[in-house]
Amino acid sequence: MKTLAFVTIVVFGFFSFASTLTLKSNAIVSGKYVTLYDLAATFSGISVQTLKNFKVAFAPQPGTYYVIDAKSVKIRAEREIKWLDVLLTSTEIKISSRAFTIGVAKIQRALSTKLATEVFITDFPTVRIPTSDCEIRIKNISEIGDKKFALVEISANDTNTYVNVEFETRAIGKVNRMDKIPKVVNSYLKKRFEFSLTNRISGLRFDFIDVGKPFGISKHLMGVPVNFILSSKVAKSAVLKYVVHDYENVVVASRKIGYGQKIENDLLRLERLDVYATTTAYATSFKACVGKLAVWSFLKGQVISLKGLKSPPAVITGQILIAYISYPAMMVTTFVRAMQNGVVGQVIPVRNVENGYMLYGVIEKGPKIRIYSGGE
């Protein structure tokens, strides 16, 4: 009996230490779940399948991580898997998820197949998935105003991700070099803008580039959707972003101009400026400014806004003018003094220079006053 008892103890001890597993301090996962296999640095006496079937938690979102308590994993694993001895290398385990970014060209090809026409992606959110292997399905096509949208389903690792994609189907040209794209865009816009590319694409092989319809991104930024074609297939889809420049000779103040000051040639100069997307009503010649009055103050070098100028009155207070009144057989004229400023067509009070009578008349070109009423 004693011998048997001794054998039983030995057998128990053998099995209790036959299965061991050492936990990692950092683990990178690619599946939907974090398994014990993902967390194992080394293991023996236990099958791979058993470890893969042991789910610890849901995997973090692609490209992110979280931290779990290593001791909690140890307690649970030793409780649920018989004879397993779990060794720790740290108190916490950092769990990260692999991240693969969906290429826009994949979406472009799926849309082109669905619509049986060439497609240019104009807006596509960055989508990260835990594996490079995915399936793309176009679920719905819609239009709001002049914009086209597609609801796209991306399936990876038994998980579906849905994103809205904005796209265009209109091509405006084809080029064999990237530096020729601005010429195509200007031809479409019927403008002569200058463009500065902000997101350069280098090292890409292509036979030619299909250029889509440009669109505004911000006040000074324009987007141009393009497809790089290689061997009759879309190798890459992208939105090229350009800072747009529109240079013109603009009238600016050559020195400070005060409120109410009459604009003369010596107060102005021309300066070549970028006026793209400006909201200022600027002038490109002195003719539009000279002779007018400033209703704003302008600093030296400031663009002269036409909104800050006004035409001087045709008549100013105190000015001596010819006034007349017509009768069927005669016209009577006299000299009058303007009692207020006025423009052509305005009724103003005037005073007869000879007798001091106050009269009212309409300012006409000349300027002169046509009297229609009066009194002492």
Side-chain angles (χ1 to χ4, degrees):
M1 292 295 291
K2 290 182 179 180
T3 304
L4 180 60
F6 175 76
V7 172
T8 302
I9 293 171
V10 171
V11 171
F12 179 82
F14 174 80
F15 279 103
S16 65
F17 294 101
S19 300
T20 61
L21 182 147
T22 303
L23 291 176
K24 299 176 180 177
S25 58
N26 290 278
I28 301 175
V29 299
S30 58
K32 185 177 181 180
Y33 299 96
V34 180
T35 69
L36 201 54
Y37 179 76
D38 295 318
L39 304 184
T42 62
F43 61 91
S44 62
I46 187 170
S47 70
V48 170
Q49 194 58 48
T50 298
L51 296 180
K52 287 186 175 181
N53 290 340
F54 192 106
K55 296 174 182 176
V56 178
F58 279 100
Q61 291 296 314
T64 64
Y65 72 91
Y66 57 72
V67 175
I68 62 173
D69 180 60
K71 189 174 181 180
S72 297
V73 176
K74 170 184 171 68
I75 293 171
R76 183 187 158 196
E78 290 179 341
R79 184 177 66 243
E80 297 183 22
I81 301 176
K82 290 184 178 181
W83 322 125
L84 180 64
D85 185 22
V86 178
L87 306 177
L88 304 181
T89 56
S90 63
T91 58
E92 293 181 334
I93 305 173
K94 179 181 177 181
I95 300 176
S96 307
S97 181
R98 294 183 185 277
F100 296 89
T101 302
I102 293 291
V104 180
K106 286 187 176 182
I107 305 297
Q108 191 278 339
R109 287 192 288 269
L111 268 171
S112 292
T113 301
K114 178 78 172 180
L115 299 174
T117 186
E118 184 169 27
V119 168
F120 297 91
I121 305 295
T122 57
D123 187 28
F124 176 63
T126 300
V127 179
R128 293 184 175 88
I129 57 176
T131 174
S132 59
D133 186 22
C134 66
E135 185 177 350
I136 296 172
R137 288 181 289 271
I138 308 302
K139 304 298 290 184
N140 186 45
I141 303 291
S142 60
E143 289 190 41
I144 301 176
D146 61 347
K147 294 185 176 181
K148 301 178 178 67
F149 299 89
L151 177 62
V152 179
E153 179 186 74
I154 303 169
S155 300
N157 275 8
D158 299 323
T159 301
N160 294 334
T161 302
Y162 295 89
V163 293
N164 279 307
V165 176
E166 188 175 336
F167 67 96
E168 180 59 64
T169 56
R170 182 174 179 182
I172 64 170
K174 181 180 296 187
V175 296
N176 58 7
R177 294 204 320 256
M178 286 186 63
D179 59 2
K180 292 183 178 180
I181 293 175
K183 184 177 180 180
V184 172
V185 175
N186 272 334
S187 178
Y188 170 76
L189 297 174
K190 296 180 173 57
K191 297 287 186 179
R192 296 183 63 183
F193 294 143
E194 294 182 28
F195 296 86
S196 300
L197 184 61
T198 64
N199 56 333
R200 297 192 177 278
I201 298 176
S202 58
L204 180 67
R205 293 177 59 243
F206 57 86
D207 297 325
F208 59 88
I209 306 169
D210 281 334
V211 183
K213 187 171 69 173
F215 61 94
I217 296 177
S218 63
K219 185 177 179 181
H220 294 283
L221 204 61
M222 181 182 293
V224 181
V226 295
N227 291 330
F228 294 88
I229 310 299
L230 179 65
S231 300
S232 301
K233 294 182 180 180
V234 176
K236 184 178 180 65
S237 288
V239 173
L240 300 180
K241 298 176 182 178
Y242 293 92
V243 176
V244 188
H245 310 279
D246 185 14
Y247 292 101
E248 283 198 57
N249 290 322
V250 177
V251 178
V252 300
S254 61
R255 61 175 185 268
K256 184 177 179 180
I257 299 173
Y259 174 83
Q261 190 170 352
K262 188 175 182 180
I263 305 297
E264 303 291 350
N265 277 297
D266 61 350
L267 295 175
L268 309 173
R269 62 183 172 84
L270 287 175
E271 187 172 325
R272 187 167 172 78
L273 298 175
D274 184 2
V275 296
Y276 181 76
T278 184
T279 57
T280 302
Y282 58 88
T284 57
S285 69
F286 289 4
K287 184 178 179 181
C289 305
V290 171
K292 294 186 177 180
L293 299 179
V295 294
W296 298 351
S297 293
F298 296 96
L299 298 176
K300 181 179 179 181
Q302 185 177 353
V303 174
I304 302 296
S305 172
L306 294 177
K307 294 179 181 179
L309 305 179
K310 73 173 183 178
S311 297
V315 171
I316 60 175
T317 302
Q319 185 176 351
I320 303 299
L321 304 161
I322 293 177
Y324 74 94
I325 185 169
S326 294
Y327 296 101
M330 62 181 296
M331 177 184 292
V332 178
T333 62
T334 186
F335 288 101
V336 295
R337 185 186 304 278
M339 303 306 295
Q340 71 174 59
N341 295 344
V343 296
V344 172
Q346 183 180 353
V347 176
I348 64 169
V350 294
R351 189 176 294 279
N352 190 305
V353 173
E354 293 183 5
N355 56 32
Y357 285 175
M358 184 71 78
L359 307 169
Y360 291 89
V362 178
I363 301 174
E364 295 182 342
K365 288 183 178 180
K368 58 186 176 180
I369 305 294
R370 179 170 59 84
I371 301 298
Y372 72 90
S373 68
E376 296 186 5

